[in-house]
Amino acid sequence: EKLVAPDQPESLRQRTVPWFGSARGRRGFEVLKNLIANDPSEAVRERAISALAVSKEPEAADLLVSTARSDRNPRLRAQAIAALGRNSGPKTVAVIREVIEKDPDAQVRRRAVSALHALPDGEGIPLLIEVVKTTQNADVRKQAMSSLGQSRDPRALAYFEDVLKH
């Protein structure tokens, strides 16, 4: 923990942070939680969010959700969304959907679309199709269409065929 203290060199702090997510259990989670909430370095906070994505602690996903919804820094909200996109489940999909619809920052919304594309087992494909059909934001719709095209998922191909028929 001494190695991630603010008085340590920035490069050392950044290299040390990932170990708290993968190898330090509950105590590591607590350190990451504190870094995300209070660290003066944006780079260290970003690393802490990424490390949180591999934490085995049950509250890790909740902290990612909270960060994605309400961190003051759009870049860190986007980082939390990307970390969430490595996991699957209804809660993850719901948060990503919420961010696409409500986040004021265009970069964060684009990262949320990318997170849908990255969900395991094509879990995000139905929501990408829904985003294309319903979103008012042309940039988000364009990115969702691109993600669908890159997916090569049969559901995406069926959607494109349907669109082309009309």
Side-chain angles (χ1 to χ4, degrees):
E1 290 178 43
K2 292 177 185 175
L3 298 176
V4 294
D7 62 343
Q8 296 296 321
E10 182 79 8
S11 62
L12 174 64
R13 297 178 72 222
Q14 288 183 36
R15 286 192 320 266
T16 305
V17 169
W19 290 102
F20 288 101
S22 61
R24 302 298 295 170
R26 181 70 195 177
R27 184 64 189 145
F29 169 77
E30 294 297 333
V31 170
L32 292 173
K33 182 178 176 181
N34 183 50
L35 289 172
I36 291 168
N38 302 312
D39 201 87
S41 167
E42 183 178 307
V44 169
R45 291 181 68 214
E46 268 189 66
R47 293 281 176 113
I49 290 168
S50 292
L52 195 60
V54 298
S55 174
K56 303 281 189 250
E57 293 302 310
E59 299 94 341
D62 292 336
L63 184 53
L64 285 172
V65 166
S66 173
T67 304
R69 285 182 172 153
S70 62
D71 196 274
R72 65 190 178 278
N73 186 321
R75 202 171 138 153
L76 297 178
R77 290 196 310 272
Q79 183 73 19
I81 284 293
L84 276 172
R86 295 182 203 127
N87 303 311
S88 63
K91 185 176 187 176
T92 298
V93 173
V95 171
I96 294 171
R97 167 188 249 152
E98 177 185 325
V99 168
I100 289 170
E101 293 172 359
K102 297 180 181 177
D103 198 278
D105 190 89
Q107 263 317 94
V108 176
R109 291 190 305 269
R110 284 193 291 274
R111 183 69 75 93
V113 171
S114 294
L116 283 178
H117 184 187
L119 286 172
D121 302 322
E123 187 178 355
I125 298 298
L127 191 51
L128 281 169
I129 292 169
E130 185 180 320
V131 166
V132 169
K133 290 178 179 179
T134 62
T135 190
Q136 299 299 312
N137 185 302
D139 195 36
V140 169
R141 189 171 44 251
K142 178 181 173 184
Q143 184 178 0
M145 287 288 282
S146 177
S147 292
L148 284 172
Q150 292 171 9
S151 74
R152 299 183 193 261
D153 186 281
R155 296 167 293 181
L157 295 174
Y159 174 70
F160 286 134
E161 287 175 6
D162 189 49
V163 167
L164 292 172
K165 285 179 186 175
H166 292 88

